């Protein structure tokens, strides 16, 4: 019997478990080993799912950095045909979050991979943006240095127009306001920008406006988890 690896989505906002399907709890109960981005928050997440879960009955491994030691431990558990859970800090493992390297190892060792449905900030923001959902790309973080960031934004805007493509990116929350200011001063005034903050939380807010419209409606984004989308296509 091959090992099974569950890719277990977790919450995006503190305490908001209502966005998780019930079958995630069944998968958690089936696991005997967890590889997690942050053990403390992963343990807290499991307790949110069910107070009956005995946290210390699982084996725990930190995968924030997939070094040789972590990879070796993961391979051993695959060989032992364990049922393994992979949990990132927020959202879906392997999608703009750690986990991808371990999943690749599992694929190479022919383990059974079971991705589970759950909240993903990238897809939720795209769904609510009104932008092109047929052609889009997630580009991660933009450069920190101002001139390089401006160059990157112009390049993404040009590509969006040429390819009719939605561009999706993120920023460290304490630099959100600076990124927003750079976007609205760099982009063409008719380029659409969507800002999706606090997804799945009670304070969730998702708005799409042109760069020109944002100039008179600057949101307060400091230290709020956010997804940014840009569209200058047809």
């Amino acid at each position: 019997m091959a090992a099974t690896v569950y890719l277990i989505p977790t919450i995006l906002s503190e305490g908001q478990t209502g966005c998780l399907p019930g079958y995630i709890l069944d998968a958690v109960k089936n696991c005997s080993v967890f590889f997690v981005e942050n053990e403390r928050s992963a343990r807290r997440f499991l307790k949110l799912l069910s107070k009956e879960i005995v946290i210390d009955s699982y084996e725990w491994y930190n995968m924030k950095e997939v070094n040789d030691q972590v990879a070796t431990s993961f391979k051993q558990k695959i060989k032992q045909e364990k049922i393994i859970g992979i949990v990132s800090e927020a959202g879906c493992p392997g999608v703009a979050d750690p986990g991808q390297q371990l999943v690749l190892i599992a694929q190479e060792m022919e383990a059974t991979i079971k991705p589970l449905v759950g909240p993903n900030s990238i897809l939720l923001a795209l769904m609510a943006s009104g932008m092109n959902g047929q052609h889009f790309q997630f580009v991660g973080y933009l450069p920190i240095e101002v001139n390089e960031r401006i160059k990157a934004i112009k390049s993404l805007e040009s590509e969006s127009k040429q390819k009719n493509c939605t561009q999706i990116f993120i920023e460290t929350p304490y630099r959100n306001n600076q990124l927003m200011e750079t976007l609205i001063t760099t982009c063409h005034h008719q380029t659409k920008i969507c800002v999706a903050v606090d997804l799945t939380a009670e304070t969730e807010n998702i708005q799409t406006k042109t760069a020109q419209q944002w100039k008179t409606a600057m949101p307060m984004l400091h230290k709020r988890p956010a997804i940014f989308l840009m569209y200058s296509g047809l």
Side-chain angles (χ1 to χ4, degrees):
M1 181 179 177
T4 300
V5 179
Y6 284 100
L7 307 182
I8 299 172
T10 184
I11 53 178
L12 298 177
S13 299
E14 186 69 30
Q16 300 296 320
T17 58
C19 58
L20 298 174
Y23 79 152
I24 287 179
L25 178 58
D26 294 331
V28 166
K29 289 180 177 179
N30 284 335
C31 293
S32 60
V33 183
F34 280 105
F35 284 78
V36 301
E37 184 179 0
N38 184 304
E39 184 174 338
R40 183 179 178 183
S41 59
R43 285 171 172 260
R44 189 165 60 244
F45 168 61
L46 263 58
K47 276 299 185 183
L48 277 175
L49 291 179
S50 173
K51 296 186 184 301
E52 297 176 0
I53 291 176
V54 181
I55 300 297
D56 292 331
S57 66
Y58 299 104
E59 290 184 70
W60 294 88
Y61 295 88
N62 192 320
M63 67 163 190
K64 188 168 186 178
E65 180 183 352
V66 181
N67 53 30
D68 291 343
Q69 182 178 355
V70 172
T72 297
S73 297
F74 187 74
K75 290 175 183 177
Q76 288 174 344
K77 300 308 170 185
I78 295 288
K79 290 176 181 177
Q80 293 168 5
E81 299 180 347
K82 297 288 188 178
I83 299 179
I84 303 166
I86 294 180
V87 183
S88 63
E89 183 69 1
C92 300
V95 182
D97 272 301
Q100 171 264 323
Q101 292 169 278
L102 296 184
V103 175
L104 180 57
I105 291 171
Q107 288 283 4
E108 291 169 346
M109 296 182 69
E110 299 185 350
T112 299
I113 315 295
K114 291 188 174 291
L116 304 183
V117 173
N120 177 274
S121 58
I122 299 168
L123 292 180
L124 291 175
L126 178 63
M127 290 165 62
S129 69
M131 297 181 181
N132 191 350
Q134 298 289 336
H135 188 190
F136 59 90
Q137 66 175 351
F138 175 68
V139 298
Y141 292 92
L142 301 188
I144 295 176
E145 199 278 321
V146 175
N147 290 332
E148 290 299 315
R149 172 169 291 192
I150 291 172
K151 184 188 299 184
I153 289 171
K154 288 181 177 179
S155 176
L156 290 172
E157 183 181 36
S158 176
E159 184 179 28
S160 175
K161 185 173 183 178
Q162 292 173 4
K163 297 182 178 180
N164 191 29
C165 171
T166 301
Q167 308 284 17
I168 308 172
F169 41 94
I170 55 178
E171 180 53 284
T172 303
Y174 70 84
R175 288 199 293 260
N176 281 340
N177 286 341
Q178 293 93 317
L179 173 57
M180 190 64 185
E181 290 171 2
T182 306
L183 280 171
I184 65 175
T185 56
T186 302
C187 290
H188 186 274
H189 64 276
Q190 288 302 316
T191 293
K192 292 182 175 62
I193 299 168
C194 177
V195 183
V197 295
D198 299 339
L199 288 165
T200 73
E202 293 181 1
T203 53
E204 176 183 273
N205 189 276
I206 309 166
Q207 293 188 62
T208 298
K209 301 177 184 292
T210 65
Q212 180 65 33
Q213 290 170 333
W214 277 120
K215 289 181 179 180
T216 57
M218 275 291 288
M220 293 303 297
L221 305 174
H222 188 58
K223 292 187 177 181
R224 298 173 71 185
I227 299 284
F228 298 85
L229 303 90
M230 176 205 297
Y231 180 71
S232 61
L234 301 175

